[in-house]
């Protein structure tokens, strides 16, 4: 590897680290949650409450959020339950920390969710501080009967494979769950409930973050059925899933919590961190380092290949139009529609592979990575691509086009030593794309 490429990667990795630090869950909670005696509040909002407070948390960032929240609550902490992905290793005095499966739910998630529900029932007078971040959709599992956990796993796997976006994904999951789509509000039974949310979705909508356990849901059973029909997977799903959704469409089951519901009285949802905050921090650091800096006007979404080509075209145009060092940033979350026998990789590695072809031979370098440090079912957050990637691949006997067609980006970049592997970051605000020119 040349010194130029090494320096580019060092700069890209440093900017990624800056972005991630800006959305550190513990720091964000400590910044917003305040206690004055028995009175608690969230700065920048009108949310105030007093007395014993139970923590109910779920998501990739739940442990870090709960650590800071417990420290602030002090004597007002009335216990609670948080659910994090396997391997989180969380341990917080006064709070039950459970681990469960992601991206596919598992039996640990089902029992952890039951523990959370039981904790709410055991302390009916305590206020609820909900701590929700990306990943909560899979970690909180309480299917609507007769849907079983196995049925839920099959549905989740089908949605992952068909390329449904996060809003479509969550619309279906909400209508098969007792905790999503405002279910946690109903379980709180009218007591004060304040939710601090770390957004991993475009638009930062509380109804979409973690499938909206503390928010009203504007979608319906009919919407969920429409999504499954559009992707042509309805008939392949378990019969129990069709039974519940069709019964709901006929009005035989209660809908998810709707925006005009009186049950939302006393409920406050506050988004404390987002992709926008992370990108702004990286942009500031790049400017301080002497780069002209541009941030994409809109988040990237939709098909990964199409989004990567759009991003690479933008990077090429701007690098040709401007002189001097240039940093171009974008965020968002794209989707990959997998084939029958996909290889190994993730959407960020695939994004980088598309960029590699688009910037071949040019003085450009790109990093595409998940802010959580995880990209698909791999140990990488994403991958680096630069103007030499394809030439180096050919020298090693690697076929970039074949790797892309087989969704086998991990093995491609691993062979080149181009994977980005920072480890789990403890936060989650979608994906981060950074390009350096000049």
């Amino acid at each position: 590897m040349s010194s130029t490429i090494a320096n580019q990667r060092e700069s890209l990795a440093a900017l990624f680290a800056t972005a991630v630090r800006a959305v550190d869950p513990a720091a964000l909670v400590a910044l917003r949650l305040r206690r004055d005696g028995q009175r608690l509040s969230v700065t920048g909002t009108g949310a105030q409450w007093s007395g014993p407070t139970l923590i109910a948390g779920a998501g990739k960032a739940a442990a870090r959020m709960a650590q800071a929240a417990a420290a602030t609550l002090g004597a007002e902490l009335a216990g609670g339950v948080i659910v994090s992905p396997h391997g989180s290793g969380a341990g917080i005095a006064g709070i039950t920390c459970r681990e469960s499966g992601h991206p596919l739910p598992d039996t640990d998630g089902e029992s952890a969710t039951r523990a959370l529900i039981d904790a709410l029932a055991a302390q009916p007078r305590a206020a609820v501080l909900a701590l929700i971040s990306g990943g909560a959709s899979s970690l909180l599992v309480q299917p609507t009967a007769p849907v079983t956990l196995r049925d839920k796993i099959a549905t989740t796997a089908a949605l992952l494979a068909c390329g449904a976006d996060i809003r479509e994904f969550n619309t279906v999951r909400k209508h098969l769950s007792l905790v999503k789509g405002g279910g946690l509000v109903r379980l709180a039974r009218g007591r004060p409930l304040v939710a601090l949310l770390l957004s991993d979705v475009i638009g930062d909508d509380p109804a979409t973050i973690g499938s909206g356990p503390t928010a009203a849901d504007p979608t319906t059973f009919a919407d969920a059925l429409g999504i499954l029909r559009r992707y042509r997977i309805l008939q392949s799903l378990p019969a129990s899933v069709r039974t519940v959704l069709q019964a709901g469409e006929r009005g035989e089951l209660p809908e998810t919590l709707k925006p005009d519901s009186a049950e939302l009285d006393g409920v406050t949802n506050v988004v404390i961190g987002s992709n926008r905050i992370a990108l702004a921090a990286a942009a500031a650091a790049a400017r301080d380092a002497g780069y002209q800096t541009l941030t994409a006007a809109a988040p990237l979404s939709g098909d990964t290949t199409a989004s990567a080509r759009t991003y690479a075209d933008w990077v090429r145009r701007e690098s040709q139009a401007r002189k001097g060092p240039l940093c171009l940033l974008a965020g968002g979350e794209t989707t990959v529609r997998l084939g029958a026998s996909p290889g190994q990789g993730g959407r960020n590695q695939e994004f980088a592979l598309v960029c590699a072809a688009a910037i071949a031979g040019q003085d450009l370098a790109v990093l595409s990575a998940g802010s959580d440090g995880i990209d698909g079912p791999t140990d990488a957050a994403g991958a680096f691509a630069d103007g030499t990637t394809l030439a180096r691949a050919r020298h090693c006997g690697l076929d970039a086009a074949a790797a892309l067609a087989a969704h086998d980006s991990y093995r491609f970049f691993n062979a080149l030593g181009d994977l980005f592997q920072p480890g789990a970051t403890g936060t989650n605000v979608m994906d981060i794309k950074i390009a350096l020119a000049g």
Side-chain angles (χ1 to χ4, degrees):
M1 182 189 299
S2 73
S3 60
T4 299
I5 294 174
N7 289 338
Q8 287 174 330
R9 292 187 181 184
E10 183 177 346
S11 297
L12 288 166
L15 290 172
F16 175 86
T18 297
V20 167
R21 281 196 299 273
V23 286
D24 177 76
L28 292 170
V29 170
L31 183 67
R32 302 297 297 276
L33 184 63
R34 291 284 182 267
R35 179 169 70 91
D36 182 8
Q38 290 186 317
R39 181 168 293 281
L40 294 134
S41 63
V42 179
T43 61
T45 75
Q48 294 187 14
W49 70 102
S50 297
T53 300
L54 183 78
I55 287 178
K60 295 178 182 179
R64 294 280 292 149
M65 296 173 81
Q67 287 169 349
T72 299
L73 290 175
E76 300 308 318
L77 176 63
V81 176
I82 63 163
V83 190
S84 302
H86 286 303
S88 300
I92 305 169
I95 299 174
T96 299
C97 300
R98 302 285 293 269
E99 296 183 357
S100 66
H102 183 279
L104 295 177
D106 61 13
T107 55
D108 291 332
E110 195 170 35
S111 64
T113 305
R114 173 50 57 188
L116 189 153
I117 293 171
D118 290 344
L120 288 170
Q123 298 203 57
R125 296 183 181 277
V128 178
L129 178 64
L131 306 171
I132 307 297
S133 63
S137 294
S138 297
L139 300 169
L140 285 179
V141 189
Q142 196 66 208
T144 303
V147 177
T148 65
L149 176 61
R150 179 176 293 182
D151 297 338
K152 196 74 175 288
I153 292 171
T155 303
T156 301
L159 287 164
L160 284 170
C162 76
D165 67 31
I166 190 64
R167 292 181 184 276
E168 294 169 326
F169 212 123
N170 287 353
T171 294
V172 175
R173 291 196 282 199
K174 288 176 188 179
H175 289 89
L176 298 172
S177 173
L178 297 178
V179 291
K180 300 176 177 68
L184 200 60
V185 173
R186 287 174 168 162
L187 291 167
R189 299 185 183 279
R191 74 185 87 179
L193 186 155
V194 174
L196 303 183
L197 311 171
L198 192 66
S199 175
D200 69 329
V201 300
I202 292 172
D204 304 332
D205 181 5
T208 305
I209 301 167
S211 292
T214 62
D217 174 32
T219 70
T220 65
F221 282 102
D223 293 330
L225 282 166
I227 290 164
L228 298 177
R229 290 184 180 117
R230 185 162 62 254
Y231 285 103
R232 299 180 180 179
I233 60 174
L234 178 61
Q235 295 308 313
S236 66
L237 296 180
S240 64
V241 172
R242 298 195 300 273
T243 296
V244 166
L245 295 180
Q246 289 166 352
E249 185 181 37
R250 293 191 299 267
E252 297 169 8
L253 293 175
E255 260 293 356
T256 48
L257 189 66
K258 294 296 173 262
D260 60 354
S261 174
E263 293 173 281
L264 289 166
D265 293 346
V267 175
T268 304
N269 286 286
V270 185
V271 177
I272 62 171
S274 67
N275 186 263
R276 176 180 51 81
I277 293 173
L279 293 181
R287 284 193 295 271
D288 289 345
Y291 288 91
Q292 300 176 69
T293 304
L294 297 174
T295 301
L300 299 171
S301 63
D303 179 70
T304 294
T305 296
S307 293
R309 287 172 178 159
T310 298
Y311 176 72
D313 286 346
W314 176 58
V315 169
R316 285 202 310 268
R317 288 195 309 271
E318 293 296 343
S319 66
Q320 292 165 3
R322 298 168 186 269
K323 294 181 179 180
L326 179 64
C327 176
L328 301 105
L329 297 153
E333 184 168 295
T334 62
T335 55
V336 176
R337 186 164 188 169
L338 299 175
S341 301
Q344 187 178 11
R347 63 176 179 262
N348 283 288
Q349 293 159 66
E350 192 148 317
F351 190 100
L353 184 53
V354 175
C355 286
I359 66 175
Q362 300 181 53
D363 182 19
L364 297 169
V366 172
L367 170 62
S368 178
S371 60
D372 58 358
I374 301 166
D375 187 36
T378 76
D379 60 2
F384 297 100
D386 59 62
T388 72
T389 299
L390 290 197
R392 290 186 288 113
R394 285 191 294 270
H395 182 72
C396 295
L398 299 172
D399 187 331
L404 182 61
H407 304 291
D408 203 20
S409 52
Y410 180 91
R411 278 186 276 261
F412 177 89
F413 284 117
N414 190 40
L416 293 176
D418 290 356
L419 290 172
F420 179 52
Q421 298 168 298
T425 64
T427 193
N428 186 22
V429 293
M430 299 193 292
D431 299 332
I432 296 170
K433 323 290 186 183
I434 311 172
L436 298 179

